[in-house]
Amino acid sequence: MPTEQNDVITNDVKSASVPTNYGALGTLVTVFFFWGFIAAGNSVFIPFCKHYFKLDQFQSQLIDFAFYTAYYIGALALFAYGAFGGKDLVGKWGYKKSIVYGLLFSALGAAAMIIAVNANTFAGMLVGLFIVALGFSLQQTAAQPFAISLGDPATGTSRVNLGGGINSFGTTIGPIVVAFALFGTTAAVTDEQIAGLSLSKVIILYSCVGALFIGAAALFYFSKKVPAGISLEKVESAPKALYTLLIMTGLLIIMFAPVFNSYKVDLANAPEAEVHAMNMYRMKWLMGALAVVVVGLLFANLSAKKSSIGWGAMQYPQLVLGMLAIFVYVGVEVAIGSNLSELLKQEEFGGISSSEAAKYISMYWGSLMIGRWAGAVSAFKLSDKTKLLLQIIVPLIAFLVIIGVNTVAQYNMTPLYYYVVCVLIQIAAFYVSKDKPARTLMIFGILGLTAMVIGTQTTGMISIYAFLSGGLFCSIMWPCIFTLSIAGLGKYTTEGSAFLIMMILGGGIIPPIQGKLADVMGIHQSYWVCAVCFAYLAFFAAVVKGILKKQGIDYDAQVDSAGH
């Protein structure tokens, strides 16, 4: 049994010789699975709630709003605690206890979901999802550095990539399992049948999810192989950054309040003029929320240029622009998947029912797994020939896994066989990018933009493939953005990482904006929102390279293996 001193994480050089704790790592990756499973499952849960509660597309996107806003609130609360108390709460508790507390908090959210379902209230279900995601926020803050600490720091990236691969597997099977749990079949279900389904199925689903959370918490708590993971590092003070974020949060609440309250308005039988007025009302406040984030961050960076005192990590332009990049990256990743079911219902896309759409949603989230498995190859020390071979074989194996899982679920995957062409395009993009984060982000951003433009200008399977490929091009953006954003931050690296996690908030703002545009201009053309997001990501890749070069950092000349 290790002593408490051995469980403390320090910067001692000796830590590099510690062998990988595979027992603890095997336990840890379970939480990565939960994040992907629940988040991707929302893509099926959204159309279910839309038809059951008779919501419009914007109202249904409030599920994503509640879920991803919780990440921002949770990360901000942890940062505020550290800023006022001078200590990192996660470090104080230790990674092990933090994950246990996060899992139990998520279980509390599952219980809240059950109570809300019994009360037949959509608002209550949003609160339940918010609590689940708050628990995820705590888990994610602890789990990624915990994975790095479970062995030699030089191989830490491979452990994080393992977690990412498990996370992506959760996103692949999540839509299938949730669809089966709600619809009870893999056969097509009509919208009328969905509206007539009993909410008792949601109770059963979240009872199982809550039990899994509690089971995983118990596994962590009683496992002697999992160290406490206590960190004694002091938190760097950044009062100006904190106050700016608190002001931004207050303004976001002001912007969100009228939008959230408007979900109660029934527009199904309202006059056209009233529907148009409500659409413009919601759009105004949503765009206001977007402006708060963009203007707030740019203001922080401009002010920090005049005087860096009190701004902490926000004095670095690569971080501020990277925060916006994470914001739009998470936003576009979620928006594509969450609006996909509604898109496929349109006649020009085959009139596919919500239950049958699960296989397409699974392929979309599975596309993230394809890219991440391919990206994980670079984490290992291999010869150039072996690496090239694996970067061709691994994505194709991942594609076959997705086909196989859905086939076992009795979905007809024939329409998706030719999607392998998109996978081959991604393989070529990996080869051209040469493992360089700025170049990789640039190429994948341009490919994502191109895919969205093709998708909006075509219909049928070509358009569907284009939108699905957004998952392929999103897949490896997170590590690229993270690496480029925290480069050169020095003692502010931990703080900068926390700021980046806050920007998962994009998943709560961009999907509702697309949902609102879908109500105004149609679901098909609403995907121009995704095109704009990819355009910014390509822009960030181009600009940040120059910013870092001015600071003496050139990631295209010297690839940091920790960024992949």
Side-chain angles (χ1 to χ4, degrees):
M1 182 72 180
T3 64
E4 188 67 14
Q5 182 62 35
N6 289 333
D7 287 342
V8 175
I9 295 175
T10 68
N11 291 323
D12 194 338
V13 177
K14 294 179 181 179
S15 64
S17 63
V18 177
T20 300
N21 186 338
Y22 288 105
L25 184 61
T27 306
L28 177 62
V29 295
T30 58
V31 300
F32 284 84
F33 175 84
F34 285 139
W35 303 336
F37 180 88
I38 299 298
N42 284 347
S43 298
V44 175
F45 194 54
I46 284 171
F48 172 81
C49 288
K50 177 178 180 178
H51 295 296
Y52 187 90
F53 291 103
K54 297 179 173 59
L55 308 173
D56 61 26
Q57 187 63 13
F58 159 75
Q59 292 167 326
S60 69
Q61 294 299 308
L62 289 176
I63 290 175
D64 279 335
F65 168 80
F67 191 81
Y68 289 98
T69 300
Y71 276 93
Y72 173 79
I73 297 299
L76 177 61
L78 289 173
F79 171 63
Y81 178 91
F84 287 121
K87 290 184 178 180
D88 179 8
L89 184 61
V90 171
K92 178 182 177 181
W93 283 342
Y95 294 140
K96 179 178 180 178
K97 284 187 178 179
S98 295
I99 292 173
V100 170
Y101 294 156
L103 286 164
L104 292 177
F105 207 81
S106 292
L108 184 64
M113 279 286 289
I114 295 171
I115 294 172
V117 170
N118 277 320
N120 200 23
T121 167
F122 180 62
M125 293 169 74
L126 295 179
V127 171
L129 281 172
F130 181 86
I131 296 173
V132 168
L134 272 181
F136 282 5
S137 177
L138 178 56
Q139 294 167 43
Q140 186 153 336
T141 301
Q144 298 197 53
F146 196 16
I148 294 173
S149 73
L150 293 176
D152 187 341
T155 59
T157 299
S158 65
R159 292 189 290 278
V160 175
N161 277 324
L162 174 62
I166 298 298
N167 173 273
S168 294
F169 183 67
T171 65
T172 302
I173 70 171
I176 300 171
V177 174
V178 173
F180 186 80
L182 295 178
F183 307 132
T185 178
T186 57
V189 179
T190 65
D191 293 343
E192 290 74 18
Q193 288 175 306
I194 292 174
L197 288 174
S198 170
L199 282 178
S200 62
K201 295 193 175 185
V202 181
I203 294 177
I204 295 173
L205 173 64
Y206 275 90
S207 294
C208 294
V209 168
L212 287 173
F213 287 148
I214 294 173
L219 185 64
F220 260 89
Y221 183 78
F222 291 109
S223 176
K224 295 182 179 180
K225 295 181 178 180
V226 180
I230 296 172
S231 175
L232 303 177
E233 290 186 8
K234 184 179 179 181
V235 176
E236 292 290 339
S237 177
K240 291 181 180 177
L242 174 62
Y243 296 143
T244 299
L245 288 169
L246 291 176
I247 292 171
M248 284 173 56
T249 303
L251 291 174
L252 285 172
I253 291 173
I254 293 173
M255 298 295 173
F256 286 150
V259 175
F260 184 81
N261 287 334
S262 72
Y263 93 90
K264 301 174 185 178
V265 179
D266 182 11
L267 299 177
N269 301 309
E272 185 176 343
E274 183 178 338
V275 172
H276 178 74
M278 179 55 71
N279 284 337
M280 294 301 102
Y281 173 81
R282 288 170 172 169
M283 183 60 69
K284 176 181 67 176
W285 290 106
L286 283 170
M287 295 307 293
L290 180 62
V292 166
V293 175
V294 174
V295 174
L297 291 178
L298 294 180
F299 165 79
N301 185 241
L302 290 173
S303 299
K305 283 183 178 179
K306 298 177 181 178
S307 175
S308 63
I309 299 174
W311 283 104
M314 279 193 178
Q315 66 188 276
Y316 295 91
Q318 66 265 36
L319 176 70
V320 175
L321 294 177
M323 289 171 72
L324 287 175
I326 289 289
F327 180 86
V328 300
Y329 153 70
V330 176
V332 70
E333 178 184 289
V334 175
I336 294 173
S338 295
N339 287 286
L340 192 57
S341 180
E342 182 66 19
L343 176 80
L344 296 175
K345 283 173 52 184
Q346 310 307 309
E347 287 188 12
E348 60 267 36
F349 291 93
I352 300 168
S353 68
S354 297
S355 62
E356 185 66 16
K359 68 183 181 186
Y360 292 94
I361 296 171
S362 175
M363 181 58 76
Y364 170 72
W365 291 108
S367 294
L368 293 161
M369 180 179 79
I370 293 171
R372 287 169 182 168
W373 283 19
V377 172
S378 299
F380 302 94
K381 295 181 179 179
L382 304 167
S383 67
D384 291 342
K385 185 176 180 180
T386 302
K387 183 184 294 185
L388 175 60
L389 183 62
L390 288 177
Q391 285 185 333
I392 295 173
I393 295 175
V394 169
L396 294 176
I397 291 175
F399 174 70
L400 292 176
V401 168
I402 299 164
I403 294 292
V405 168
N406 282 274
T407 300
V408 170
Q410 298 183 356
Y411 284 109
N412 176 18
M413 298 302 289
T414 304
L416 287 167
Y417 286 167
Y418 291 106
Y419 184 66
V420 71
V421 174
C422 298
V423 177
L424 293 174
I425 292 173
Q426 186 200 49
I427 291 172
F430 269 118
Y431 176 76
V432 175
S433 66
K434 303 296 183 184
D435 297 334
K436 298 174 181 179
R439 182 188 293 184
T440 300
L441 187 59
M442 169 72 79
I443 292 172
F444 278 67
I446 292 174
L447 285 173
L449 171 60
T450 303
M452 295 303 105
V453 172
I454 292 173
T456 57
Q457 299 305 302
T458 59
T459 57
M461 290 307 299
I462 292 178
S463 182
I464 291 173
Y465 277 16
F467 289 135
L468 290 179
S469 68
L472 293 172
F473 306 132
C474 279
S475 59
I476 45 73
M477 285 186 168
W478 175 279
C480 291
I481 297 170
F482 227 93
T483 297
L484 296 166
S485 300
I486 64 174
L489 265 60
K491 64 181 180 181
Y492 297 109
T493 298
T494 301
E495 184 179 288
S497 298
F499 289 158
L500 290 171
I501 289 177
M502 287 181 197
M503 290 298 102
I504 292 176
L505 171 69
I509 294 180
I510 291 176
I513 287 178
Q514 183 179 349
K516 190 67 267 161
L517 279 177
D519 292 330
V520 175
M521 61 192 297
I523 186 67
H524 187 193
Q525 295 306 309
S526 73
Y527 273 83
W528 278 107
V529 170
C530 301
V532 173
C533 290
F534 278 117
Y536 175 78
L537 291 167
F539 166 80
F540 169 72
V543 171
V544 75
K545 183 177 178 180
I547 292 173
L548 293 177
K549 276 190 174 181
K550 291 181 180 178
Q551 300 175 16
I553 303 169
D554 188 353
Y555 270 110
D556 273 6
Q558 181 180 355
V559 178
D560 183 351
S561 63
H564 297 281

